[in-house]
Amino acid sequence: GPPPRRKGNPRLLFMGLRRCGKSSVQKVVFEKLPPAETLYLEATTKIERASMQSFMTFDSAELPTSLPVQSPDYDHASIFTNIGSVIWIIDSQDEYLTSISELLRLAVFLAENYPRINLEVFIHKTDGLSEEYKYDTFREVRQRVQDELTDYGYGDRPVSYYQTSIFDHSIFEAMSKVIMKLLPALPSMETLLTKLCSTCRIQKAYLFDTLSKIYIATDTSPTFLKDYEVCSDYVDVIVDIKQLYGWRDEGKQGDQNSIEESMVSFDKSGDTYIYTREISNNLSLICLMGQGSGPNMRPVLDYNVEILNGALQKVFKV
Ligand code: GDP
């Protein structure tokens, strides 16, 4: 059955018009459904919940269609209490003006009733769109929503926008950014990773939740989808190897943080070096290094990653 609900789990609520992709996003990210199989998903008729137990539990729920959130007899307390983020999904391959006006009603409702909930907008199904059209749609949606929110007097309420598709890595990157905002330990993890990067001349370091391929922290340098793609492929390698050798059994869990038990690799891919280190059963550190970082960097890396590992254990109080 689903893992018990704990206080402090990142809790997400997916909303949007019919067939915008709410079930697909949840099933692909949290249940690892192959994207092509989402074609056969049944329409949602009740509130559906999914949850994923990994290094932490992600809870998500989905509202069937756009529910009239403002209606007075509607029990929104039971839906919005304890929600960290509402994700509004817009089907960018469809006519989206209705979706935008529903989104605005939601945004105003949240601003007035649940100002602490993050509002995240996925401009979704960007696969199959030309780069130019994709960009124009993104800009148009963002502009319209911001203009109207300003008219309502909520122009200063932060709303974030992402371009997503379940057919590429963009959905995982967007989900990473959404979830990172809900993690209280984020600033400490960010500081630790940024320090590691400067000490070891690393271009980009990601701390991944191994199963979901959501990264829960990265250093403070800019993020690029390409970097995420390379690194998340390495997370797949870790998962494959673990499945090959069997997941660690319960009895061995006491050893999960020792060096001998974890996987470390240092590979060259084109002109980039990739350092992979399993931090714990559910967390993987993946680092990208450019030219000038050869295998001779390896001992320095191992040493500093060991320090990082110790610090992270303290952050999570493992
Ligand atoms: P829901 O009613 O909001 O839960 O929508 P579904 O998740 O059932 O998705 C409706 C349709 O959109 C399905 O046929 C999915 O395969 C399709 N879909 C979902 N996400 C994407 C995407 O990123 N790109 C494309 N092209 N189709 C998608």
Side-chain angles (χ1 to χ4, degrees):
R5 292 176 167 264
R6 274 179 296 145
K7 214 172 172 266
N9 294 348
R11 201 158 293 175
L12 313 169
L13 181 63
F14 292 88
M15 295 179 74
L17 302 186
R18 262 179 80 79
R19 314 269 317 146
C20 66
K22 299 178 292 294
S23 308
S24 306
V25 168
Q26 287 189 92
K27 295 228 160 25
V28 168
V29 174
F30 295 113
E31 294 166 24
K32 303 290 136 200
L33 184 76
E37 284 176 31
T38 62
L39 268 175
Y40 312 110
L41 288 177
E42 305 231 341
T44 311
T45 51
K46 56 179 173 41
I47 298 179
E48 286 187 352
R49 294 185 195 281
S51 148
M52 177 169 196
Q53 179 78 69
S54 195
F55 112 94
M56 65 192 321
T57 315
F58 305 109
D59 285 339
S60 67
E62 169 187 358
L63 295 188
T65 48
S66 167
L67 284 167
V69 281
Q70 300 88 340
S71 122
D73 50 19
Y74 186 71
D75 181 16
H76 35 74
S78 72
I79 290 180
F80 291 101
T81 307
N82 295 327
I83 291 290
S85 305
V86 172
I87 299 169
W88 184 270
I89 303 183
I90 296 177
D91 181 345
S92 64
Q93 296 190 3
D94 197 10
E95 180 279 312
Y96 49 77
L97 291 182
T98 315
S99 181
I100 290 182
S101 56
E102 288 299 323
L103 164 61
L104 280 161
R105 277 152 48 119
L106 173 73
V108 170
F109 169 81
L110 289 178
E112 285 171 355
N113 297 280
Y114 299 93
R116 291 172 64 176
I117 295 182
N118 297 336
L119 181 54
E120 315 278 7
V121 177
F122 285 6
I123 297 159
H124 190 54
K125 306 195 189 178
T126 53
D127 52 282
L129 301 183
S130 73
E131 280 304 315
E132 197 185 341
Y133 184 82
K134 210 157 100 173
Y135 181 68
D136 288 348
T137 308
F138 183 79
R139 264 195 12 185
E140 186 183 312
V141 170
R142 190 177 54 187
Q143 195 62 52
R144 270 176 188 267
V145 177
Q146 284 313 132
D147 286 352
E148 299 223 22
L149 273 182
T150 305
D151 291 347
Y152 284 116
Y154 294 112
D156 54 351
R157 245 191 69 83
V159 182
S160 305
Y161 305 84
Y162 310 81
Q163 306 187 47
T164 55
S165 162
I166 55 168
F167 292 100
D168 57 39
H169 289 88
S170 58
I171 192 63
F172 292 95
E173 229 225 343
M175 290 299 295
S176 300
K177 291 182 171 165
V178 167
I179 285 175
M180 281 182 356
K181 287 191 196 165
L182 301 175
L183 301 178
L186 181 67
S188 358
M189 293 192 285
E190 226 173 53
T191 308
L192 291 168
L193 290 174
T194 305
K195 215 188 259 172
L196 177 76
C197 287
S198 66
T199 313
C200 299
R201 285 189 284 152
I202 293 168
Q203 260 171 28
K204 194 73 197 154
Y206 291 100
L207 196 59
F208 275 93
D209 177 60
T210 312
L211 279 182
S212 63
K213 291 211 283 179
I214 285 171
Y215 63 85
I216 57 157
T218 180
D219 62 282
T220 48
S221 72
T223 54
F224 298 102
L225 187 57
K226 263 201 115 51
D227 292 344
Y228 173 82
E229 284 171 6
V230 172
C231 291
S232 76
D233 287 348
Y234 272 82
V235 178
D236 284 337
V237 173
I238 290 191
V239 171
D240 287 348
I241 295 176
K242 285 180 81 154
Q243 273 165 350
L244 206 62
Y245 291 99
W247 297 88
R248 289 193 190 92
D249 55 308
E250 295 293 317
K252 286 175 86 182
Q253 278 203 341
D255 293 341
Q256 71 182 20
N257 299 316
S258 68
I259 320 171
E260 297 76 35
E261 284 285 321
S262 63
M263 264 177 275
V264 185
S265 82
F266 193 62
D267 294 322
K268 193 165 199 263
S269 149
D271 51 11
T272 308
Y273 280 95
I274 293 130
Y275 181 83
T276 314
R277 167 71 195 266
E278 199 191 15
I279 294 288
S280 72
N281 235 343
N282 296 316
L283 285 181
S284 311
L285 172 76
I286 318 271
C287 302
L288 277 182
M289 282 166 288
Q291 281 165 327
S293 311
N296 55 337
M297 279 296 283
R298 175 73 189 264
V300 183
L301 271 167
D302 284 341
Y303 176 75
N304 282 283
V305 167
E306 198 47 47
I307 294 175
L308 172 90
N309 192 7
L312 283 175
Q313 305 302 332
K314 275 188 204 132
V315 169
F316 294 118
K317 296 190 190 68
V318 175

